[in-house]
Amino acid sequence: MMGPAHSLSGAAAWLGVGAAAAYFHHPMPWPTLVVGALLCAGAALGPDLDHKPATISRAFGPLSRGLCEIVEKLSLGVYHLTRGKGDPHRNGGHRTLTHTWPWAAMCGAGASAIAVYGGRWGVLGVLFVHIVLAIDGLLWWEVRGHHHLLVWMLGAAGAWFLAGVLADPGMGQSWLFTQPGQHYLWIGVPIALGSLVHCIGDALTVSGCPVLWPIPIGRKRWYPVGTPHFMRFHAGSWVEVRLLMPLFVGLGGVGFAAALGLLG
């Protein structure tokens, strides 16, 4: 799928988690719901860091472009080192390592560690990166053609404000993980979820997605998991733009209302 659909699906997924948390009597404070939706929307662009034309590879200028080069080569190297007898030869690393559950878990764990051990500045850094990505994904039409500096400023302002809100007792810093030293540990959850949602979205397209690596399926370790072929579509097609994106918006709205207890 394309960036906007990935971001919308990520936000909708976290709002769905918020609805489920409310149903099971463990509701999120509104800052956790909002911040988590932004983190998940931004993280849903993350796996495409192995693809030069992707939104995330252009979001931070030379820094993200250079990181994309490294990640793409690393992904290709891991693919060739671990591919099974049935996996084809590849010349590029797109839709390999970053499109797997271990990568999603690593991203979530890394974000949690930065937030927990980095203190306020760690939280600000994680929020800034993912809010910038969320803006690029969710508001792609509005920011298209504008200089990245504007998006960075919006991301920095949003991160500063939301980090300040979360820091107030009872406003979400210790949601889900309540023991001493576990403040902000939950921040990795929407980031891991966003990465997985990206993989699920790509599994709906014609190429599929090797999300289950390194679990072997048949003679392949990089088996492209997907729906039946007649149900798949090309990225950017009318199915994605006219059907799935409105569906994600609708599901997100329902999840948001349910998470805040407005439907019961």
Side-chain angles (χ1 to χ4, degrees), residues 147-236:
H147 194 276
H148 281 300
L149 181 60
L150 174 62
V151 179
W152 297 341
M153 291 174 63
L154 289 172
W160 189 268
F161 171 75
L162 290 171
V165 173
L166 285 174
D168 289 339
M171 295 301 280
Q173 60 177 269
S174 59
W175 179 78
L176 191 60
F177 301 97
T178 59
Q179 298 302 312
Q182 294 183 349
H183 289 175
Y184 303 113
L185 186 61
W186 67 268
I187 278 179
V189 177
I191 292 174
L193 178 62
S195 295
L196 288 175
V197 167
H198 178 110
C199 295
I200 294 171
D202 279 353
L204 301 176
T205 64
V206 293
S207 300
C209 183
V211 61
L212 296 180
W213 175 87
I215 299 171
I217 299 178
R219 299 172 64 245
K220 297 182 178 182
R221 287 193 179 274
W222 297 90
Y223 185 86
V225 175
T227 53
H229 285 281
F230 75 92
M231 297 177 61
R232 301 188 191 187
F233 56 88
H234 289 277

Side-chain angles (χ1 to χ4, degrees), residues 13-41:
W14 185 254
L15 295 172
V17 171
Y23 179 80
F24 288 106
H25 308 292
H26 196 72
M28 298 179 186
W30 73 262
T32 304
L33 187 66
V34 172
V35 170
L38 290 171
L39 290 174
C40 203

Side-chain angles (χ1 to χ4, degrees), residues 93-128:
H94 180 44
R95 284 203 188 185
T96 54
L97 179 62
T98 61
H99 288 66
T100 65
W101 69 266
W103 180 271
M106 183 185 69
C107 289
S112 288
I114 292 171
V116 170
Y117 297 109
R120 178 175 174 82
W121 289 107
V123 173
L124 280 170
V126 173
L127 291 182
F128 170 70

Side-chain angles (χ1 to χ4, degrees), residues 26-126:
H26 196 72
M28 298 179 186
W30 73 262
T32 304
L33 187 66
V34 172
V35 170
L38 290 171
L39 290 174
C40 203
L45 298 179
D48 276 344
L49 189 57
D50 61 1
H51 190 45
K52 291 180 182 179
T55 300
I56 186 174
S57 301
R58 296 179 281 107
F60 298 97
L63 178 62
S64 54
R65 287 195 296 271
L67 187 57
C68 172
E69 293 275 358
I70 296 171
V71 170
E72 193 273 335
K73 287 180 171 57
L74 171 65
S75 298
L76 183 60
V78 172
Y79 176 86
H80 283 304
L81 283 172
T82 63
R83 69 189 181 107
K85 293 182 179 180
D87 291 311
H89 178 79
R90 294 180 63 111
N91 294 318
H94 180 44
R95 284 203 188 185
T96 54
L97 179 62
T98 61
H99 288 66
T100 65
W101 69 266
W103 180 271
M106 183 185 69
C107 289
S112 288
I114 292 171
V116 170
Y117 297 109
R120 178 175 174 82
W121 289 107
V123 173
L124 280 170
V126 173

